[in-house]
């Protein structure tokens, strides 16, 4: 958990590898997943890099495996999942493996082409057989003899029968059912109605060899007159991609041809079955090892891609690279370097050394399957700055707590607990199995978040005394009914006076007797509205307090006096005073008070007091016999608090810019006067003078920011803070609004479905009716109150953390740590390793 407070300390290191050991070392680095390599050759084009040939070979092997995967998907051949993490494909194994893949691809291509050709022939035979079966009855005993029709051969093997001018031309073929009507209309327009056209009564459902999907076609018979009209019909058939087949002249020939086609179709079906069997057998053989081969190829490809980031020294005997490494993992990296060097037996061992840099390191938080879900919520907003306080640690408690305030119901919380508990108990089963359902992946990744939300919702449900909108008497109610039946005659409502006899106060949560009160909503609104304001202001003050620790860690001591203290004073003098007024009103005014000025009728309106305080006006009492303020010097104290808050505003606007500008001017003068600062002499000693001068010029430019730019930047942040304190405080009222909406909607579902439709029935069929209506009520409860209301409360809680809480201390100007990691290739699990937002980027790069 300590790794969640601040990001891991990172070190920029130079890695020196021997070429013969580079592949094995980088492979071990990929298994460790703790090094983020930087490109040492940013100006070198991709095709000019050292290992581009190896990357292309791996890409070609991956292409062949993808082709085989596509062929297996066509035949619905299941690819077994990889149950272990295989090693990368070694360089000396690449040629043999490449030849093996090439042979398998050639065999599968040949079998696929043969099967496609057989299917094309089978399709033609089926279309001809279907044509003769459907068109034969249309022709009947008619003979297309040479005495009446002079035959000629059509282009492209299309069988046509035509005559010279004035003779009849017969066309027969099949057309797609979706194109049959436009085809018929086009023939009608081209011939101007001088055509005899008939279609088959039944369609044929055939298999398309190219797509593997069913296609619907219909046979047709068209008879026209004349050579010119015949050529037009041929063009129409060509445009609509109509398959034209010859029709035998006599009835006997048509019957004979039908028998021959049946025989050929039967023989071809047997050949296709055997061809498909051998093809599927080969694909199943490949499928058993496809996942293993793909993983090995992808690992080798990622290794060579990483090695292309290294540069080669002048002697070409050493690979030099740069990488970010967590300082806690440096010892593990050194152990790997020494082990691989000793195993291979190189003369010069590979090693790693730290280097100094002014660049900001990446942000990396060590998370586990429990904390990863909360950290993902923060990373969805932005990446923390290096070594900045991590909001994800505090979110573990504050997020489910704020969610539970809006979602507080013991029954609904138990549903969340059961669902998330099932995911937690079966997580080992689902962690290694990638799911195409994105919604399931999101819920499974946040199973521990949902579990804590359910626990907090159940606890708040007990405090609210809501269990599926019903109240439970855990102890004796505070209110006691002192009326008799005679007192209640003619009256539907009674008034319970707190001055009368009562029981001891209800010790835990809301008194269930409020569920019968006519002013229940008013009481609940008052309580939850004030509770929302109190929790919101405490939450924001806590966020400001965290900014103090950031200032201390980064040694921004000026910000403590010029930003933190004025911000805390501004927030406390106005809004913390509002919280104090709420508590004072609760404790100073009571329904049991014998003093009229301390009774509920004389309790001042806090909102009016707050508005009068902001306007510097005098508040008026709610009644003549009451006091306007809670104590004598309240008005003077409020004016002093408001003046202190207003005095903090110019400090926020001008304090930090003036200090930073004066400090920058001092630093700039020192750099210009000395020429070379001691900070850069070590860079001059290592490298060239030009690099040192570039660093000095960059440092001078850093301290040469004009005062106006600093003032504008600070003014934006100051205006945002001063105005947002009001809007953010009001934004926490969503806790009250959603809690009220959730409670009232739950009550409405119970009263409209269960109470009205089921529980009022006292007939013999009542149990069956209750059972059926309970199922309806349960479906509405889960779908509306748990899923939809839960999603709404979740989004509002997310907004309260992103905007109202994190804006007080979170800068979010960092970038995430993206290590070279084989786990992104082996598993789709999103609950271990770096943040989920970095995973997709790293996997895309590999």
């Amino acid at each position: 958990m300590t790794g969640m407070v601040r990001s891991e300390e990172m070190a920029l290191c130079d890695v020196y590898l021997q070429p013969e050991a580079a592949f094995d070392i980088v492979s071990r680095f990929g298994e460790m997943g703790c090094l983020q390599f930087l490109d040492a050759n940013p100006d070198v084009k991709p095709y000019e890099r050292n290992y581009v040939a190896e990357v292309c070979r791996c890409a070609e092997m991956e292409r062949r495996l993808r082709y085989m995967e596509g062929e297996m998907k066509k035949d619905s051949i299941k690819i077994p999942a990889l149950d272990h993490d295989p090693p990368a494909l070694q360089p000396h194994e690449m040629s043999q493996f490449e030849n093996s893949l090439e042979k398998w691809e050639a065999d599968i291509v040949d079998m696929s082409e043969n099967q496609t050709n057989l299917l094309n022939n089978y399709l033609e035979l089926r279309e001809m057989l279907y044509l003769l079966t459907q068109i034969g009855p249309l022709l009947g005993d008619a003979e297309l003899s040479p005495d009446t029709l002079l035959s000629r051969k059509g282009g492209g093997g299309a069988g046509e029968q035509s005559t010279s001018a004035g003779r009849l031309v017969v066309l027969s073929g099949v057309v797609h059912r979706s194109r049959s009507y436009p085809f018929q209309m086009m023939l009608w327009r081209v011939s101007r109605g001088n055509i005899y056209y008939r279609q088959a009564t039944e369609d044929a459902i055939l298999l398309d060899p190219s797509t593997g999907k069913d296609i619907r076609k219909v046979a047709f018979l068209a008879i026209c007159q004349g050579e010119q009209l015949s050529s037009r019909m041929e063009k129409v058939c060509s445009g609509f991609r109509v398959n034209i087949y010859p029709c035998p002249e006599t009835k006997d020939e048509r019957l004979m041809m039908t028998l021959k086609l049946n025989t050929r179709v039967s023989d071809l079906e047997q050949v296709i079955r055997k061809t498909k069997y051998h093809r599927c057998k080969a694909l199943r053989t490949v499928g058993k090892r496809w996942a293993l081969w793909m993983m090995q190829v992808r690992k080798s490809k990622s290794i060579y891609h990483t090695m292309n980031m290294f540069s080669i020294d002048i002697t070409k005997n050493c690979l030099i690279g740069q990488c970010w490494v967590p300082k806690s993992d440096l010892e593990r990296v050194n152990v790997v370097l020494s082990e691989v060097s000793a195993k291979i037996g190189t003369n010069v061992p590979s090693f790693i050394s730290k280097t100094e840099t002014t660049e900001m390191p990446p942000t990396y938080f060590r998370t586990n399957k429990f904390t990863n879900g909360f950290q993902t919520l923060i990373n969805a907003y932005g990446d923390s700055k290096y070594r900045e306080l991590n909001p994800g640690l505090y979110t573990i408690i504050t997020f489910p707590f704020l969610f539970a305030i809006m979602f507080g119901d013991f029954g609904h919380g138990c549903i969340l607990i059961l669902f998330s508990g099932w995911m937690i108990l079966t997580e080992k089963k689902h962690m290694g199995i990638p799911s195409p359902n994105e919604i399931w992946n999101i819920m499974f990744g946040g199973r521990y978040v949902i579990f804590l939300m359910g626990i907090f919702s159940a606890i708040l449900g007990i405090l609210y005394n809501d269990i599926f909108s019903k109240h439970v008497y855990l102890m004796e109610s505070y209110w006691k009914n002192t009326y008799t039946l005679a007192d209640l005659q003619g009256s539907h409502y009674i008034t319970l006076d707190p001055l009368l006899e009562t029981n001891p106060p209800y010790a835990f949560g809301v008194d269930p007797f409020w569920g019968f009160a006519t002013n229940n909503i008013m009481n609940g609104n008052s309580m939850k509205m004030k509770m929302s304001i109190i929790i919101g202001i405490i939450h924001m003050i806590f966020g400001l307090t965290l900014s103090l620790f950031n200032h201390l860690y980064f040694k921004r001591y000026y910000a403590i006096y010029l930003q933190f203290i004025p911000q805390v004073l501004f927030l406390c003098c106005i809004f913390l005073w509002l919280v104090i007024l709420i508590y004072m009103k609760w404790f100073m005014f009571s329904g049991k008070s014998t003093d009229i000025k301390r009774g509920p009728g004389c309790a001042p309106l806090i909102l009016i007091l707050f508005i009068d305080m902001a306007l510097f006006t005098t508040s008026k009492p709610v009644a003549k016999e009451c006091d306007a303020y809670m104590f004598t010097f309240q008005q003077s104290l409020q004016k002093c608090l408001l003046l202190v808050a207003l005095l903090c505003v110019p400090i926020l606007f001008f304090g930090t810019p003036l200090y930073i500008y004066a400090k920058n001017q001092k630093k700039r003068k020192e750099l210009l006067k000395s020429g070379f600062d001691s900070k850069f002499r070590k860079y001059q000693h290592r490298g060239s003078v030009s690099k040192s001068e570039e660093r000095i010029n960059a440092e001078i430019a850093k301290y040469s920011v004009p005062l106006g730019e600093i003032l504008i930047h600070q003014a934006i942040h100051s205006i945002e803070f001063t105005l947002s304190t009001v809007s953010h405080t009001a934004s926490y009222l969503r806790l009250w609004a959603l809690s009220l909406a959730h409670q009232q909607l739950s009550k409405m579902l119970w009263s409209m479905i269960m109470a009205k439709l089921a529980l009022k029935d006292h007939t013999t069929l009542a149990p069956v009716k209750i059972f059926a209506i309970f199922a309806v009520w349960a479906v509405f409860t889960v779908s509306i109150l748990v899923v939809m209301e839960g999603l709404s409360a979740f989004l509002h809680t997310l907004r309260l953390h992103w905007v109202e809480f994190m804006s007080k201390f979170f800068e979010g100007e960092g970038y995430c740590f993206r290590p070279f990691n084989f786990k992104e290739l082996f598993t789709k699990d999103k609950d271990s390793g770096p943040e989920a937002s970095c995973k997709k980027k790293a996997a895309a790069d590999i």
Side-chain angles (χ1 to χ4, degrees), residues 116-150:
T116 302
N117 294 332
L118 290 174
L119 289 175
N120 286 327
N121 294 335
Y122 180 73
L123 178 64
E124 292 181 359
L125 293 177
R126 285 289 306 276
E127 287 181 351
M128 292 179 63
L129 181 61
Y130 163 70
L131 176 67
L132 292 176
T133 305
Q134 297 294 324
I135 298 302
L138 295 178
L139 295 175
D141 297 334
E143 295 185 1
L144 306 177
S145 60
D147 297 336
T148 56
L149 297 175
L150 298 177

Side-chain angles (χ1 to χ4, degrees), residues 180-427:
S180 61
Y181 183 75
F183 174 68
Q184 181 181 356
M185 292 297 101
M186 184 59 67
L187 291 179
W188 185 268
R189 292 176 182 176
V190 167
S191 64
R192 298 181 180 179
N194 297 318
I195 187 174
Y196 176 82
Y197 183 87
R198 288 290 182 273
Q199 285 185 353
T201 57
E202 297 180 1
D203 296 346
I205 300 178
L206 307 171
L207 182 66
D208 190 353
S210 58
T211 62
K213 298 180 180 180
D214 292 336
I215 53 176
R216 185 181 293 271
K217 291 189 176 183
V218 60
F220 70 91
L221 175 67
I223 303 176
C224 63
Q225 186 178 17
E227 186 71 22
Q228 186 176 6
L229 186 56
S230 173
S231 62
R232 292 179 183 177
M233 292 175 61
E234 291 177 4
K235 294 180 180 179
V236 173
C237 294
S238 176
F240 280 86
R241 298 180 182 179
V242 173
N243 295 331
I244 299 176
Y245 298 100
C247 185
E249 298 177 356
T250 64
K251 180 179 179 181
D252 294 337
E253 291 177 353
R254 288 192 289 270
L255 293 176
M256 184 63 65
M257 189 174 184
T258 301
L259 295 176
K260 291 181 179 180
L261 286 175
N262 281 323
T263 304
R264 291 185 60 185
V265 166
S266 173
D267 295 340
L268 195 56
E269 285 178 350
Q270 295 181 3
V271 175
I272 290 175
R273 282 196 296 269
K274 292 182 179 179
T275 304
K276 188 174 182 179
Y277 169 77
H278 290 292
R279 179 175 178 272
C280 292
K281 183 179 180 181
L283 289 175
R284 287 192 180 95
T285 304
V286 173
K288 292 179 181 179
R289 301 181 60 83
W290 183 90
L292 175 66
W293 291 347
M294 177 60 75
M295 182 57 60
Q296 289 181 318
V297 170
R298 293 188 66 186
K299 280 189 175 183
S300 299
K301 180 183 175 183
S302 62
I303 291 172
Y304 285 120
H305 174 77
T306 303
M307 292 172 63
N308 274 333
M309 297 182 181
F310 287 68
S311 61
I312 300 182
D313 65 342
I314 300 176
T315 62
K316 296 185 178 181
N317 292 325
C318 182
L319 293 177
I320 305 173
Q322 276 192 334
C323 61
W324 290 107
V325 187
K327 290 184 178 180
S328 58
D329 291 329
L330 281 175
E331 184 177 353
R332 295 172 54 204
V333 174
N334 287 321
V335 170
V336 168
L337 291 174
S338 60
E339 287 180 355
V340 176
S341 299
K343 178 181 178 181
I344 296 180
T346 57
N347 297 327
V348 180
S350 303
F351 63 94
I352 185 171
S353 63
K354 294 183 182 179
T355 182
E356 295 187 8
T357 181
T358 57
E359 298 180 3
M360 185 175 66
T363 302
Y364 174 52
F365 297 103
R366 292 189 186 273
T367 58
N368 51 39
K369 60 184 180 181
F370 175 75
T371 59
N372 185 73
F374 296 96
Q375 189 62 48
T376 303
L377 296 177
I378 303 301
N379 293 336
Y381 181 76
D383 296 309
S384 301
K385 190 177 179 181
Y386 177 67
R387 299 298 290 171
E388 184 181 31
L389 274 178
N390 180 24
L393 178 63
Y394 317 102
T395 304
I396 296 176
I397 298 299
T398 58
F399 191 90
F401 177 67
L402 294 182
F403 172 85
I405 294 175
M406 295 180 279
F407 195 74
D409 190 290
F410 182 81
H412 300 158
C414 289
I415 294 176
L416 293 181
I417 293 174
L418 292 175
F419 175 65
S420 58
W422 169 77
M423 289 192 292
I424 292 172
L425 292 176
T426 60
E427 63 182 9

Side-chain angles (χ1 to χ4, degrees), residues 562-693:
L562 301 178
Q563 291 185 22
F564 172 71
I565 294 178
Q567 287 176 350
V568 171
L569 287 176
F570 184 85
L571 184 61
C572 292
C573 289
I574 298 178
F575 295 101
L576 185 60
W577 174 247
L578 177 63
V579 175
I580 295 173
L581 289 178
I582 293 173
Y583 277 101
M584 289 178 64
K585 183 177 179 180
W586 279 344
F587 285 100
M588 294 177 64
F589 300 90
S590 172
K592 284 194 170 185
S593 177
T594 56
D595 186 3
I596 190 173
K597 290 186 178 183
R598 295 303 178 190
C602 288
L605 300 176
I606 296 179
L607 182 59
I608 301 300
L609 287 176
F610 192 70
I611 294 174
D612 291 338
M613 171 185 171
L615 298 177
F616 285 98
T617 57
T618 303
S619 300
K620 297 179 181 180
V622 294
K624 294 181 179 181
E625 64 275 6
C626 302
D627 295 332
Y629 295 98
M630 298 183 186
F631 52 92
T632 54
F633 57 93
Q634 180 179 351
Q635 185 178 11
S636 301
L637 179 60
Q638 291 182 165
K639 289 181 179 180
C640 293
L641 293 175
L642 190 59
L643 287 175
V644 172
L646 293 177
L647 289 176
C648 294
V649 175
I651 300 176
L652 290 174
F653 271 82
F654 302 104
T656 301
L658 294 177
Y659 176 84
I660 292 177
Y661 181 74
K663 184 179 178 180
N664 288 350
Q665 291 298 313
K666 183 180 178 180
K667 288 280 187 181
R668 186 171 180 273
K669 289 179 181 179
E670 291 177 357
L671 290 172
L672 292 174
K673 184 178 180 180
S674 61
F676 287 93
D677 194 276
S678 60
K679 180 179 179 181
F680 301 102
R681 292 190 182 277
K682 49 192 170 184
Y683 295 110
Q684 183 180 1
H685 177 71
R686 290 184 181 181
S688 61
V689 179
S690 59
K691 291 185 177 180
S692 301
E693 291 179 352

Side-chain angles (χ1 to χ4, degrees), residues 783-801:
S783 59
I784 297 177
L785 294 179
V786 177
V787 178
M788 295 179 62
E789 282 284 320
L791 180 60
S792 175
F794 178 88
L795 295 177
H796 283 283
T797 308
L798 202 60
R799 182 244 154 76
L800 289 177
H801 281 78

Side-chain angles (χ1 to χ4, degrees), residues 745-756:
L745 187 58
S746 181
K747 287 183 178 180
M748 185 197 70
L749 280 179
W750 178 268
S751 60
M752 298 296 293
I753 297 178
M754 286 298 296
K756 187 176 181 179

